[in-house]
Amino acid sequence: MKIYYFTSTGNCLYVGKEIKNKIDEVELIPIPRAMKEKNLICDSDMVGIIYPLHCFSLPSVVEEFLEKLKLEGSPYIFAVQVTGGGSSKNGFVRINEILNIKGLRLNNFEEIKYISNYIRAGRNPSKDRAIKSIEDEKSKLNDFITSIENKDDKNLKIRKQAVSNFVHSLWKNKYKNKDKKFNVNSNCTGCGTCEKICPVSNVKLKESKPIWNGKCIDCMACINICPSKAINIGNKTLKKDRYINPYIKRNELIK
Ligand SMILES: Cc1cc2nc3c(=O)[nH]c(=O)nc-3n(C[C@H](O)[C@H](O)[C@H](O)COP(=O)(O)O)c2cc1C
Ligand code: SF4
Ligand code: SF4
C-alpha cells in the first residue's frame, strides 16, 4: 500500500504512521517529494491520501498532486482528512471529482478532528489539549484502519457545500499576498529549517536569513517549525505558542 501525505505540523504524518504501525507493507510518501518526480506513476493496488483541511477543502498542493498522479490498474483508494476540529465534505468531493476524470473513484474516507495549527487566525493549542484531541479520535481512527484493511466501500453520496466552497476559492485567490507580512527577528540562527520545510520552495535563505518569495500557500509550516521562534506574521503572532504534533519530531517533517 502506498500512502501519500501532506503535513505542515505533523498531524497528518501521525495518522499515516498509525496506519503503517497496524498494516503491513505500507509506504509513506510526502506529497512535496512525490511532486518532484517527472513521471508520477503509482502501481499499488491500495492507495491512501492524507491531508489537512485548509479553509474547508484540499491544500492546493494536494489538488495538483492528484491531478498529476497516474494510477495504474484499478486501485482501492481511501482518504483521511485531518482537521483542526472543524468539518467539511468538500475535500472528499474534490478528490472524487479528480479521480472520476481518471476513470476511478474514492472508495473509503474519514475525517479525524485534532487541533488547529492556523496560527495566523487563532491561538495554537497547548500540548495537553493536542494530546487529548488525539486520544479522543483514537477509536475512530482505529475503526477506519480496520475498515481499509477490509477494503470496505463507502459510497460517496455527498455534494460540495456551496458557501464553504466559495470561501475556499476566495482564500486561495489571496495566496499571493499571504507571505507579505512574514518577518524574521534576531533569534534566527540561520539553521535553514524554514527553507527545507516549505512545501513550495517559497523560502530562501539570503545572508543566512529567510526571505519569502510570493508563492506561499499559507500552510503555516515555516512559522510553526522554526526552532528559534524567530518567524512572525506582522506582530500578531509574537505572543502565540508554536505547534508541532506531540508525537512527531521536527526532522521527520523535512521532506
Ligand atoms: C491554511 C489553513 C487553513 C485551515 N483551515 C481549517 C479549516 O477550515 N477547518 C479546520 O478544522 N481546520 C483548519 N486548519 C487546521 C488544520 O486543518 C489542522 O490543524 C490539521 O490537523 C493540521 O495538520 P498537519 O499538522 O498535518 O498540517 C487550517 C490550517 C491551515 C494551515
Ligand atoms: S528556521 Fe528559524 S532559525 Fe532557522 S533559518 Fe529559518 S528563521 Fe532562522
Ligand atoms: S512560506 Fe511558510 S507558510 Fe508559506 S507555504 Fe512556505 S512554509 Fe508554508
Side-chain angles (χ1 to χ4, degrees), residues 86-99:
S87 180
S88 175
K89 300 281 184 275
N90 297 341
F92 300 131
V93 179
R94 182 68 193 124
I95 292 175
N96 203 42
E97 279 173 2
I98 299 170
L99 292 175

Side-chain angles (χ1 to χ4, degrees), residues 58 71 173 182 202:
L58 302 180
L71 290 156
N173 287 341
F182 275 68
N202 185 44

Side-chain angles (χ1 to χ4, degrees), residues 7-12 53-56 83-84 86 115-117 171 218:
T7 190
S8 301
T9 53
N11 289 348
C12 293
L53 183 63
H54 277 186
C55 199
F56 307 111
T83 83
I115 51 69
S116 179
N117 62 1
W171 165 77
D218 208 21

Side-chain angles (χ1 to χ4, degrees), residues 10-45:
N11 289 348
C12 293
L13 176 55
Y14 173 81
V15 168
K17 286 175 78 174
E18 284 294 291
I19 299 175
K20 189 175 163 67
N21 285 341
K22 296 197 171 75
I23 301 182
D24 290 339
E25 295 189 34
V26 169
E27 190 185 350
L28 277 177
I29 306 159
I31 286 177
R33 192 196 294 158
M35 284 297 275
K36 288 183 186 145
E37 284 177 33
K38 220 174 174 188
N39 287 317
L40 185 49
I41 299 169
C42 176
D43 59 2
S44 184
D45 60 349

Side-chain angles (χ1 to χ4, degrees), residues 228-243:
S228 308
K229 215 181 155 185
I231 298 175
N232 280 289
I233 304 173
N235 59 13
K236 68 181 177 187
T237 52
L238 280 170
K239 291 189 180 150
K240 295 183 184 179
D241 290 334
R242 302 320 194 230
Y243 175 75

Side-chain angles (χ1 to χ4, degrees), residues 47 88 198:
V47 179
S88 175
C198 178

